[in-house]
Amino acid sequence: MLIAALALGVPCQKAKAQTIDLPGKVLEENGDPIPGASVRFQGSKGGTVTKEDGTFTIKSSLKGTLIITALGHADKTVDVTGKTSIVVSLTKTNKELDQVVVTALGIRRSKNTLPYAAQTISGDDANKVRVSNIAGGLSGKVSGLEIRQNNSIGGSVNVVIRGIKSLSYNNQALFVVDGAPLDNSIRVSGSNTNPGSSTNTGGTSATGLGSTGGYDLGNTASDINPDDIQSINVLKGAAATALYGSRAANGVIMITTKRGRAGTNIAVNAGATVGNIDPSTFVTQQKEYGAGRSDNLATGGFISRDIFNTGTP
């Protein structure tokens, strides 16, 4: 009886479920790692993401189903019952990725959730016809985007979104490359107002030179290598100002460059721009007659001079 009483008095302890750290790796079909892939257990709200080398670690109870998702790839489920490590290969899909928009600070958002208009094109589409200035490659590809460019080699490209908003100040869209804003004002050398090198932000004429004149030395957009561009997001409307301040009042051309990834894949791109000046298209100028002067009425408003040093006026 005493033994039975002791047995009844011993509290029963619930056996805790065994959990382990389950390591894994997410790869492309060709073996390249997939960074930023989402890994979670089915029915669970928590999860983790893969690192740059495609690896991850998640708490596992030695049973359950993992759901692995990655942008541009088909989702995959994996039964981890009894497994202590996993390696998963994802298949690429042909779905268009234009529903995902990169906003300020590299944040990715669904296009349908944005309170302002945005349009995305890939860097390959903008550079399908080889261009030296990526702004010129946007012509005809984005609604509401006006591209004005001259035919000079290395000249500027004027980028205006949804029309001119100011008659006296800059109308250029703000360029943002990987989160860094770039001033796309037109560089002018030897202008009428300043004989030295200057920067003009007029942007109201066809080339943006305004009334200063001078030589068009291009703008900052021409310094961006088109082959380095992954995607271009055009943020339209004043609502985009909330992301980058008053400088973005004319809209934003947001450029995301390509990222390096582990592996042996190497791509080589080369491009060249050749220009030819045809002298036959120059304006013919005469050097024999002038308009005369009206300050000498005694001679009918003309003054005679021996301009050729021949002794004859």
Side-chain angles (χ1 to χ4, degrees):
M1 294 294 296
L2 182 59
I3 296 176
L6 290 176
L8 292 174
V10 176
C12 297
Q13 294 187 354
K14 230 182 238 186
K16 292 185 179 180
Q18 182 182 2
T19 59
I20 64 169
D21 288 333
L22 177 65
K25 195 169 188 177
V26 181
L27 304 173
E28 300 268 14
E29 291 178 304
N30 60 2
D32 291 340
I34 302 178
S38 174
V39 182
R40 65 179 179 85
F41 275 100
Q42 190 173 26
S44 174
K45 295 182 179 179
T48 185
V49 295
T50 58
K51 301 177 182 177
E52 290 294 329
D53 58 357
T55 61
F56 69 90
T57 302
I58 191 171
K59 292 289 184 181
S60 171
S61 59
L62 296 178
K63 63 179 180 178
T65 302
L66 274 182
I67 301 177
I68 302 173
T69 60
L71 192 64
H73 298 77
D75 298 348
K76 192 164 188 177
T77 58
V78 179
D79 185 7
V80 299
T81 302
K83 296 181 179 179
T84 57
S85 65
I86 60 171
V87 177
V88 180
S89 177
L90 298 185
T91 304
K92 283 189 176 182
T93 61
N94 295 324
K95 294 181 180 179
E96 295 291 336
L97 303 181
D98 56 355
Q99 298 303 316
V100 178
V101 177
V102 180
T103 61
L105 304 177
I107 300 173
R108 294 176 180 266
R109 295 184 60 184
S110 173
K111 185 177 181 180
N112 296 332
T113 63
L114 296 179
Y116 47 83
Q119 189 169 347
T120 304
I121 63 173
S122 67
D124 293 337
D125 288 340
N127 195 32
K128 187 170 294 183
V129 177
R130 304 293 294 181
V131 293
S132 58
N133 191 327
I134 190 60
L138 298 177
S139 180
K141 296 182 175 66
V142 180
S143 62
L145 183 64
E146 183 180 2
I147 301 294
R148 299 181 181 181
Q149 54 187 326
N150 53 38
N151 58 0
S152 63
I153 299 176
S156 61
V157 177
N158 204 22
V159 182
V160 178
I161 299 177
R162 291 182 174 176
I164 291 175
K165 302 174 181 62
S166 173
L167 295 177
S168 57
Y169 293 98
N170 184 22
N171 287 283
Q172 291 276 341
L174 176 67
F175 276 71
V176 179
V177 180
D178 291 336
L182 297 180
D183 183 6
N184 197 44
S185 301
I186 298 166
R187 297 188 287 258
V188 180
S189 176
S191 63
N192 294 336
T193 57
N194 183 0
S197 178
S198 63
T199 300
N200 173 43
T201 59
T204 57
S205 64
T207 59
L209 295 179
S211 60
T212 59
Y215 297 100
D216 183 2
L217 301 181
N219 44 10
T220 307
S222 61
D223 298 334
I224 304 172
N225 183 8
D227 292 319
D228 291 340
I229 296 176
Q230 178 69 31
S231 64
I232 302 173
N233 297 325
V234 181
L235 308 182
K236 312 170 187 177
T241 308
L243 299 176
Y244 289 101
S246 59
R247 295 178 63 186
N250 298 320
V252 177
I253 306 294
M254 184 173 300
I255 297 176
T256 303
T257 59
K258 297 176 181 177
R259 297 288 189 269
R261 51 172 46 180
T264 58
N265 295 332
I266 298 176
V268 178
N269 296 311
T273 301
V274 178
N276 180 40
I277 299 176
D278 185 3
S280 65
T281 62
F282 293 172
V283 176
T284 303
Q285 298 178 344
Q286 60 88 15
K287 300 176 289 184
E288 299 179 5
Y289 306 98
R293 296 175 61 178
S294 61
D295 58 350
N296 190 350
L297 299 180
T299 60
F302 291 90
I303 299 176
S304 297
R305 291 288 187 271
D306 183 11
I307 60 174
F308 294 112
N309 295 321
T310 59
T312 302

